[in-house]
Amino acid sequence: MAEIVTAEELAREQEPRLITRHTFGVRVVHWWTTLTFLYLILSGFALGYPRMAWLLDVMGGGQSVRFVHPWVGVGFTVGLVFMFAMWLPSMRFHSVDRHWFRNLGEYVRTGHTDTDTDKFNGGQKAYYWFSVINGLVLLITGIPLWLPDLLPREWNLAARFSHHVFFLMAAGFLVVHVYLSTARFPGTFRSMTSGTVSRAWAAFHHPRWFRRVDAGREHEGAD
Ligand code: HEM
């Protein structure tokens, strides 16, 4: 006897196994901040460490790098403002994130917790807030280095020191971020290239978000 297939079952069967996680606009903003930030890190190392001075030649010479670095910093800040605005609704902490942080050890060991994670987990939210605050501090401390006559000498020294410390923190956390988004969790990187993830990836890493997307309550899941 022929099997009766409901319209709903048929639609589910024909549905692509991929779901949208990040829209084109979100990806453009993310890669804009990434490219500008990578330039800032490389030029920052070149300007800040005599041993890395050879990088200055590769990047067009000391004078050019000194001129371009602050302007790229402005471009990075603009990207960060967009990043702040586009992800703010998804990045507020909720009680479920407390559960994620309590199980951080398990997450580090196994790459998973039984938290009913929404679009972003507690660690991702923490990285977002770190990036926003860090970007703000780099801007505030970078201005006196750009315009040295603005403030007294002692303030400039304090700005130089803080700019350096926050720069190193940003570089360190970026390494962790890249590792987690690529090698540690396969299937994540594609969310920032094609914008899609598999349904299995979504259900495993972000079950609460996945249920919402699956039930059609959030259009395709994208921000
Ligand atoms: C080559 C460098 C980078 C790679 C490969 C990368 C990769 C990714 C990927 C795949 C996601 C999506 C994660 C998901 O949907 O669950 C993501 C999200 C994110 N990225 Fe990046 N990213 C890079 C650089 C940056 C930089 C420079 C910043 C900040 C200035 C940044 C900030 C963020 C934030 C705040 C999120 C959302 C929260 C999170 O997933 O941690 N990323 N990134």
Side-chain angles (χ1 to χ4, degrees), residues 32-42 76 134 138 170-171 174:
W32 169 262
T33 50
T34 299
L35 288 181
T36 49
F37 197 63
L38 288 180
Y39 178 87
L40 292 171
I41 288 194
L42 284 181
F76 167 72
N134 189 278
L138 287 175
L174 180 62

Side-chain angles (χ1 to χ4, degrees), residues 119-139:
K119 176 138 192 177
F120 296 106
N121 65 36
Q124 290 178 297
K125 291 180 184 180
Y127 183 62
Y128 163 87
W129 287 106
F130 164 78
S131 300
V132 169
I133 293 166
N134 189 278
L136 198 68
V137 173
L138 287 175
L139 174 73

